[in-house]
């Protein structure tokens, strides 16, 4: 079964993925930070116990939801879950008293005892709230029936951090915006967007130029709006950004310097024998721009998007089945990139 | 008819070309710097008049020697002659009262009224004194009979600059020494070589790292040695350098960093849309090293050596038939490189 990051979805030239996340807590337990180890285990077991109810639903059954004991995973395996956006970095800072439910295709994950008792996430390729939101909503309903979530008529779902009160929902889209970044428009866009209750930030790293020109656009406000209204707002603004990015792309590829940058980035990735993560992220963004604008032919976008995940450090260690030195990792990364780009390109 | 730089000769993995040059002056005329325009024209006509005698020789006839009036060439055409190593830069500083004889394959050239009345040059691909010296010697003999050269029993051939007195001969080989340069051994080698009556220097530019790692090894002393003894000495030392370079190459290609450098240099050249001359010279040296060591397959060395000449600025202008802006030149250079490398490489 292909994972979400191995496929390209709607508006895939600009949108990598869509994500819905619900923060939920059980009525009869304090927030995780206040739980002793035994109580944490109790929460893990309770949520794990709801798997049966979930798998009874015919829309959910096919996903192959299963429980993963995070404590039993190797360090590389744990980190690779973060690299695949299945869990948060915070979730694996400690390993005791935690649990994870995930689907075979990794579109669905439930972190147990992260900041809240439950962090339910549905992630889909491309711009796709039409599928991700109903699925998240359905899973949320079934869990709520089984586990009884902490809810207040006025404050909505109760969460450890007040910024999540209300819907407890964070919806986001991951956008590839090389042309808007290149055109120097991101600061202005970020400022406009913040006035609309949304926030946009670099996905990797917190510098002014995020790695691979990947940006996450998400809702900031969870109180006073319905889930559906929040999503509608986010989707509308995402579509505007998509149109702006496309327009900026068609402008910048008129410049020979940009076309040159695209092709020499491909040339290096398709031939190098050592590639660092930061060099990869810089160059793959140019190659993705090239593929999306038709400058580079015969390479599908989903291959690029898979690579971005597959060459992350822990993913490489898992593939190789052992810890790797820095040089060996750069070598394996280069081999994988070269294989991927040149096989499909011929 | 292929020109010498379109072919690879003996020891072609390290040696690009072999050159013999004789400085000669006519008995009845002062050196060129002391000649008035009329007298210069007289010298040009005299030497040009010897063409008939040259073409009568059956070994020379096939070369298609012909006279070129340098004053009638465009600036790009004149500069391109320098880029093809047919004439010296000094020769085209002024255009009046000068003439050039050259063969179809550009192995033979006779500059008339450069520093001396006659500068006869024979250039061959690879390490090849066996062919270049006898041919230069034969042409020299015929010209001497026809024109009567200034010669002194004690000083040998009389030349304007005392450093050429004696044989008037400068013999040289152009070497590609990327591995010796990379290993940091060039300074020591240059110092040893100077004690043996030879000199080695970067072919392009006078910096410590010559462009494309091309070095010219030539005899320094013209007085007190016979032509043949000078050539024997030069050839022996060239062979030692060739062996040292090969040994250094087999060492450095064990390092993944060097292999990486070779392949990413190829990747950039085979894909870029803008390539400056200095970037080209840097990268093509790595590619040539890759081809010579078998790291890069399916690209013949003669293609690399042709490219080094063909992408020079004036050569590009002649190919395009007009003056070029800097960007347009970089674009045409990139197109030519890409075509050459990817056609033969598939």
């Amino acid at each position: 079964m292909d994972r979400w990051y191995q496929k390209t979805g709607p508006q895939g030239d600009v949108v990598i993925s869509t994500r819905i996340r619900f923060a939920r807590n059980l009525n009869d337990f304090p927030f995780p930070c206040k739980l002793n180890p035994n109580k944490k285990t109790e929460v893990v077991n309770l949520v794990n116990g709801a798997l049966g109810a979930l798998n009874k639903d015919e829309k959910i059954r096919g996903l192959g939801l299963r429980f993963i004991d995070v404590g039993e995973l190797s360090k590389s395996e744990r980190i690779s879950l973060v690299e695949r956006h299945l869990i948060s970095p915070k979730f694996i800072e400690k390993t005791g008293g935690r649990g994870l439910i995930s689907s075979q295709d990794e579109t669905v994950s439930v972190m147990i005892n992260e900041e809240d008792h439950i962090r339910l996430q549905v992630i889909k390729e491309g711009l796709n709230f039409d599928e991700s939101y109903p699925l998240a909503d359905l899973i949320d309903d079934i869990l709520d029936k089984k586990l009884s979530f902490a809810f207040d008529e006025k404050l909505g779902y109760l969460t450890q951090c007040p910024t999540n009160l209300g819907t407890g929902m964070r919806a986001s889209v991951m956008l590839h915006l090389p042309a808007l970044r290149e055109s120097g428009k991101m600061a202005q866009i970020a400022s406009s967007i913040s006035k609309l209750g949304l926030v946009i930030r670099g996905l990797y790293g917190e510098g002014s130029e995020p790695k691979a020109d990947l940006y996450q656009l998400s809702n900031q406000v969870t109180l006073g709006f319905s889930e559906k209204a929040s999503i509608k707002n986010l989707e509308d603004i995402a579509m505007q950004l998509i149109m702006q990015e496309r327009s900026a792309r068609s402008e910048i590829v008129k410049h020979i310097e940009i076309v040159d940058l695209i092709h020499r980035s491909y040339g290096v990735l398709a031939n190098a024998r050592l590639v660092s993560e930061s060099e990869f992220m810089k160059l793959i963004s140019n190659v993705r721009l090239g593929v999306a604008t038709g400058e580079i032919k015969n390479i599908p976008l989903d291959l690029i998007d898979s690579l971005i995940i597959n060459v992350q450090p822990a993913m490489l260690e898992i593939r190789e089945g052992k810890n790797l030195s820095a040089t060996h990792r750069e070598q394996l990364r280069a081999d994988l990139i070269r294989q991927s780009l040149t096989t499909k390109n011929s």
Side-chain angles (χ1 to χ4, degrees), chain A:
Chain A
M1 188 185 285
D2 275 354
R3 292 174 178 173
W4 66 269
Y5 59 82
Q6 294 165 327
K7 295 181 281 190
T8 307
Q11 324 294 346
D13 57 331
V14 179
V15 184
I16 310 282
S17 61
T18 296
R19 178 153 59 164
I20 297 279
R21 185 268 284 158
F22 289 135
R24 299 290 186 256
N25 288 280
L26 307 190
N27 251 328
D28 304 331
F29 292 81
F31 291 130
C33 60
K34 300 287 182 191
L35 291 177
N36 66 33
N38 286 343
K39 282 286 181 189
K40 278 190 183 173
T41 306
E42 211 176 309
V43 170
V44 170
N45 290 339
L46 269 171
V47 180
N48 188 12
L51 253 180
L54 287 169
N55 282 329
K56 259 183 210 151
D57 187 282
E58 62 178 16
K59 284 186 190 144
I60 294 175
R61 196 179 302 135
L63 293 169
L65 289 181
R66 70 219 151 134
F67 178 80
I68 295 165
D69 186 344
V70 185
E72 288 188 355
L73 301 178
S74 70
K75 195 179 168 201
S76 294
E77 284 171 327
R78 289 197 301 274
I79 296 172
S80 81
L81 295 175
V82 178
E83 292 172 349
R84 301 205 295 280
H85 305 294
L86 203 65
I87 62 172
S88 63
K90 192 178 178 179
F91 187 59
I92 51 168
E93 279 168 10
K94 295 173 187 164
T95 54
R98 313 207 153 182
L100 174 68
I101 290 170
S102 98
S103 66
Q104 295 268 325
D105 64 357
E106 304 191 347
T107 52
V108 176
S109 69
V110 182
M111 288 186 281
I112 310 169
N113 289 333
E114 200 238 31
E115 185 178 298
D116 297 293
H117 294 141
I118 286 176
R119 286 284 177 105
L120 162 63
Q121 168 182 288
V122 174
I123 188 166
K124 288 271 184 186
E125 62 277 9
L127 183 65
N128 193 344
F129 286 109
D130 292 349
E131 284 179 38
S132 56
Y133 175 70
L135 180 58
D137 195 39
L138 174 65
I139 296 172
D140 183 41
D141 282 352
I142 295 172
L143 290 177
D144 195 6
K145 259 178 218 154
K146 193 80 187 169
L147 302 168
S148 175
F149 291 151
F151 186 83
D152 177 272
E153 280 303 322
K154 207 167 157 198
L155 295 173
Y157 288 103
L158 300 178
T159 54
Q160 189 194 310
C161 180
T163 58
N164 290 313
L165 286 171
T167 58
M169 184 188 78
R170 192 79 60 209
S172 65
V173 288
M174 196 200 298
L175 300 157
H176 183 225
L177 304 177
L180 288 175
R181 195 265 308 143
E182 176 71 30
S183 318
K185 291 185 182 152
M186 284 313 300
Q188 188 199 321
I189 285 172
S191 157
S192 312
I193 276 174
S194 70
K195 292 170 193 149
L196 301 164
L198 300 179
V199 63
I200 188 162
R201 58 175 160 243
L203 180 69
Y204 296 91
E206 293 297 310
S208 59
E209 292 200 0
K211 290 184 196 172
D213 299 320
L214 293 176
Y215 292 82
Q216 186 161 284
L217 176 72
S218 60
N219 66 318
Q220 188 75 318
V221 184
T222 52
L223 204 57
F225 292 92
S226 73
E227 292 166 357
K228 285 182 181 170
S230 279
I231 287 174
K232 177 73 170 62
N233 183 39
L234 180 61
E235 205 170 12
D236 287 349
I237 291 163
M239 273 312 299
Q240 283 179 35
L241 278 176
I242 293 165
M243 304 306 278
Q244 283 180 48
E245 170 66 19
R246 281 178 189 152
S247 153
R249 285 180 184 180
S250 63
E251 275 309 307
I252 66 168
V253 295
K254 289 176 189 163
H255 298 284
I256 181 76
E257 291 79 8
I258 297 290
V259 174
D260 179 55
L261 189 65
I262 286 171
H263 287 284
R264 58 172 65 215
S265 297
Y266 170 80
V268 169
L269 288 181
N271 289 279
R273 263 53 177 177
L274 291 173
V275 178
S276 71
E277 188 189 348
S278 68
E279 184 185 25
F280 169 78
M281 293 302 259
K282 206 179 79 186
L283 299 183
I284 200 70
S285 178
N286 300 332
V287 172
R288 196 181 197 283
L289 173 65
V291 170
T293 54
E295 259 305 320
I296 296 179
K297 306 201 192 316
N298 302 325
I299 299 184
L301 273 178
D302 54 14
L303 188 143
I304 307 280
D305 294 347
S306 301
L307 258 186
I308 291 174
I309 301 289
N310 286 333
V311 304
Q312 298 294 318
M315 288 296 281
L316 289 173
E317 296 206 333
I318 287 182
R319 174 181 287 261
E320 198 63 9
K322 62 181 182 192
N323 292 341
L324 300 170
S325 70
T327 302
H328 196 186
R329 199 185 304 130
E330 295 199 355
Q331 203 173 341
L332 283 171
R333 183 179 291 116
D335 292 348
L336 183 60
I337 296 166
R338 209 165 64 251
Q339 259 168 35
S340 303
L341 293 185
T342 55
T343 307
K344 297 272 178 173
N345 194 34
S346 64

